[in-house]
Amino acid sequence: MKFFKLGLVIAGLVMTTHATADTWTPILGIPEPSFGVAEDNPTLPSPWDQEVSGFYYVCPSCSGSSNRSYGTPQQPRNSVPSNPSSGDVIVMAGSFSSGIDVNFNCTAQSPCFMLGDPANRPQITGSSDFGGSYYIVDNLQVAVAPGQYAFSAGVRGSYGAFRNGVISGTPDQGGTVTGGSNIVLFQNEIRDNGDVNASGDQDRHGVKVSGNNIWLIGNEFARNSGDGVQVGDIGTRSSTHHIYIGGNTAHGNKQTGFWVKEAEHVIISQNLSYDHDSSNSSDGEGMGGQYDARYLWFLFNEIRDNRGGIGFKSSNNGGGNNFHVVGNYIHDNINSGYDTGNAWSTSAIASWNGADITIVNNTVTGNTAGINLNGNTGDAYIYNNSIKNMQLGNAQEIFAADQGDVAYENYNAFDGDEVIDTGTAPVAARDPYAIFEATYGISIAYDFDQKSRPIRQWDIGAFEADGTGGVRPNPPVLLND
């Protein structure tokens, strides 16, 4: 995303706000949200030396604040209106000693805005909840209060956005929760919720995702004592669906960067996940999932310097299906305790989930081991992957405890194998590119660097090359289990 800064002079007060210059930078496989990213922040009154209907200036820590109707920068209101209505604009300043609970009653034609100054964000100390309809919260810093057993921020309702903010916690509590539909978290820092060195499993996630049509775009998730992002839970598949997680960075979380439990149609694309290690609550993968998700997509992510790359853990009732790992660059993930005789060991890509899984066009290099599938894994379709430079000499590129589960295994490239023009065309029965476009109406026929593919014949790995190489013209034959 590209932004320009708009400086507003308000009766001697300079306030810097963000306005969008480029409304949406596409992320592979992720649709543009219909609300929450492209909307510019409104122009504020200037001069603002008297109260203006519909424009609130709130600063409880400022000298002279009182229970005025609207407030001005010189004479602020001391409390946040709890039920703003269509078109209301609330400018926040100073510090708030307790959390806020706001229900916005706004419309698509007249959304509401709650704004802080990005150069001096207002500080809200206490669990806060933002809900209602058609609202944008921009440039606030929210933290759970010490001793408070709660999340830091809830972002819920219908057509709501929390953007350009900071959400943090204490060594005991914190994190963010979503709920409702058409919710956007955009370009926030969500960090330091819980204690990454906790002796137990705190599960203080950066964001715990519930609801449908939820976008997490361009955020940083750092040092949270759970996952950076966790989607759903047992029994939430029907209520948690169409979740779009793109262009984010996750690092240093106690569990993983991005994790999915029970949900449907979850697209995790073009994210970076690094610096996740094993702990008393995780094996330390960059991303993955467990239980029984359906239509789960890991696309074009960079996953590096974790203990493992992508991991799919145990099923619940066995109802999961359509797991896809496509176009990812998975490198330098080292498991110092790797067991070459145990297919349950964490590796670059590992699964012991009963869902069928398609692993296509990934580059896996510099990891302890390659792809591990234990005997519980469902049917696995593995082709066009480049697996090389394994750091443990006797590790297998593809280690399947039940070889009958694996189709197309020979259509991959290992150390020294040619990768340019040597891939197979997508296999009709398990073509993730065709399945994705038919399901979502979006093409993902690209490589990691967003080049269209194939240029000629399909290449093996995440990167499509311009040069020429070998030829493998015939698609493989489906193996029967």
Side-chain angles (χ1 to χ4, degrees):
M1 302 292 174
K2 297 179 181 178
F3 292 88
F4 65 87
K5 290 185 176 180
L6 175 64
L8 299 176
V9 180
I10 307 167
L13 173 72
V14 177
M15 180 175 179
T16 304
T17 63
H18 278 103
T20 54
D22 291 348
T23 57
W24 174 251
T25 299
I27 299 170
L28 295 175
I30 291 183
E32 179 180 355
S34 63
F35 179 83
V37 172
E39 290 74 16
D40 293 348
N41 290 343
T43 300
L44 304 180
S46 181
W48 196 354
D49 51 9
Q50 58 184 356
E51 292 189 306
V52 178
S53 178
F55 286 86
Y56 296 85
Y57 192 95
V58 182
C59 181
S61 63
C62 290
S63 175
S65 66
S66 67
N67 60 348
R68 294 180 177 85
S69 296
Y70 294 101
T72 69
Q74 295 78 21
Q75 296 182 314
R77 178 183 162 114
N78 62 5
S79 63
V80 178
S82 58
N83 293 285
S85 58
S86 293
D88 282 350
V89 178
I90 305 166
V91 175
M92 306 279 281
S95 59
F96 296 71
S97 60
S98 61
I100 63 175
D101 190 348
V102 187
N103 184 61
F104 295 89
N105 298 287
C106 313
T107 66
Q109 295 75 27
S110 298
C112 292
F113 290 82
M114 177 176 281
L115 308 176
D117 182 355
N120 188 23
R121 289 189 181 98
Q123 310 287 313
I124 302 171
T125 303
S127 180
S128 296
D129 219 332
F130 305 92
S133 58
Y134 288 102
Y135 66 89
I136 291 174
V137 177
D138 197 297
N139 277 299
L140 300 191
Q141 184 157 338
V142 182
V144 69
Q148 187 178 25
Y149 187 84
F151 54 83
S152 299
V155 186
R156 318 175 201 260
S158 176
Y159 296 95
F162 191 102
R163 62 193 197 187
N164 301 308
V166 178
I167 300 173
S168 61
T170 68
D172 299 310
Q173 295 298 319
T176 317
V177 294
T178 71
S181 64
N182 291 282
I183 298 298
V184 175
L185 298 183
F186 177 60
Q187 291 196 161
N188 301 289
E189 296 176 37
I190 302 176
R191 53 174 170 78
D192 301 302
N193 294 284
D195 180 4
V196 294
N197 297 310
S199 59
D201 190 4
Q202 286 184 323
D203 267 353
R204 306 315 299 178
H205 310 296
V207 180
K208 178 74 171 182
V209 177
S210 300
N212 66 84
N213 294 283
I214 309 292
W215 279 262
L216 309 184
I217 304 296
N219 304 284
E220 179 185 15
F221 306 101
R223 300 178 302 277
N224 301 290
S225 72
D227 301 305
V229 175
Q230 186 178 106
V231 179
D233 219 320
I234 292 178
T236 63
R237 192 171 59 213
S238 62
S239 60
T240 303
H241 58 86
H242 293 88
I243 311 299
Y244 308 108
I245 302 171
N248 304 282
T249 296
H251 61 94
N253 300 288
K254 188 170 186 279
Q255 296 183 8
T256 71
F258 305 93
W259 198 254
V260 181
K261 290 190 173 179
E262 293 196 359
E264 287 189 328
H265 302 293
V266 181
I267 301 169
I268 300 175
S269 179
Q270 290 190 275
N271 302 282
L272 170 62
S273 184
Y274 67 94
D275 191 25
H276 297 98
D277 204 350
S278 59
S279 68
N280 50 35
S281 53
S282 172
D283 287 334
E285 293 94 348
M287 56 186 69
Q290 67 191 108
Y291 307 143
D292 299 330
R294 294 178 179 170
Y295 287 93
L296 177 55
W297 301 84
F298 292 85
L299 309 174
F300 315 109
N301 300 289
E302 182 177 3
I303 307 160
R304 63 168 175 83
D305 298 300
N306 307 285
R307 186 175 177 88
I310 299 178
F312 299 107
K313 302 304 175 64
S314 300
S315 304
N316 180 27
N317 295 320
N321 59 48
N322 279 279
F323 287 11
H324 302 86
V325 179
V326 181
N328 300 279
Y329 180 32
I330 305 170
H331 63 98
D332 301 297
N333 300 285
I334 302 301
N335 178 0
S336 59
Y338 186 81
D339 181 353
T340 58
N342 184 0
W344 296 75
S345 291
T346 299
S347 59
I349 302 171
S351 177
W352 42 93
N353 190 285
D356 60 275
I357 184 169
T358 300
I359 303 172
V360 174
N361 280 121
N362 301 282
T363 291
V364 176
T365 181
N367 304 281
T368 300
I371 299 173
N372 282 11
L373 309 170
N374 74 20
N376 292 342
T377 304
D379 290 340
Y381 306 87
I382 305 174
Y383 62 95
N384 287 0
N385 300 284
S386 173
I387 306 171
K388 58 187 178 181
N389 301 326
M390 290 192 301
Q391 298 300 294
L392 193 58
N394 56 348
Q396 299 179 52
E397 287 88 356
I398 301 177
F399 181 8
D402 182 354
Q403 192 62 42
D405 288 335
V406 181
Y408 321 133
E409 177 179 345
N410 292 332
Y411 282 78
N412 298 279
F414 302 148
D415 281 321
D417 289 351
E418 190 74 60
V419 298
I420 299 175
D421 290 345
T422 60
T424 180
V427 181
R430 299 299 308 178
D431 177 358
Y433 302 97
I435 292 170
F436 193 95
E437 188 161 10
T439 304
Y440 307 106
I442 300 172
S443 173
I444 57 168
Y446 297 92
D447 78 342
F448 182 87
D449 290 329
Q450 302 187 64
K451 291 187 294 187
S452 294
R453 66 187 322 173
I455 293 175
R456 293 171 304 278
Q457 173 69 17
W458 284 81
D459 288 356
I460 288 177
F463 303 95
E464 188 77 7
D466 296 327
T468 58
V471 175
R472 182 183 287 173
N474 298 317
V477 176
L478 177 64
L479 302 181
N480 294 316
D481 188 352

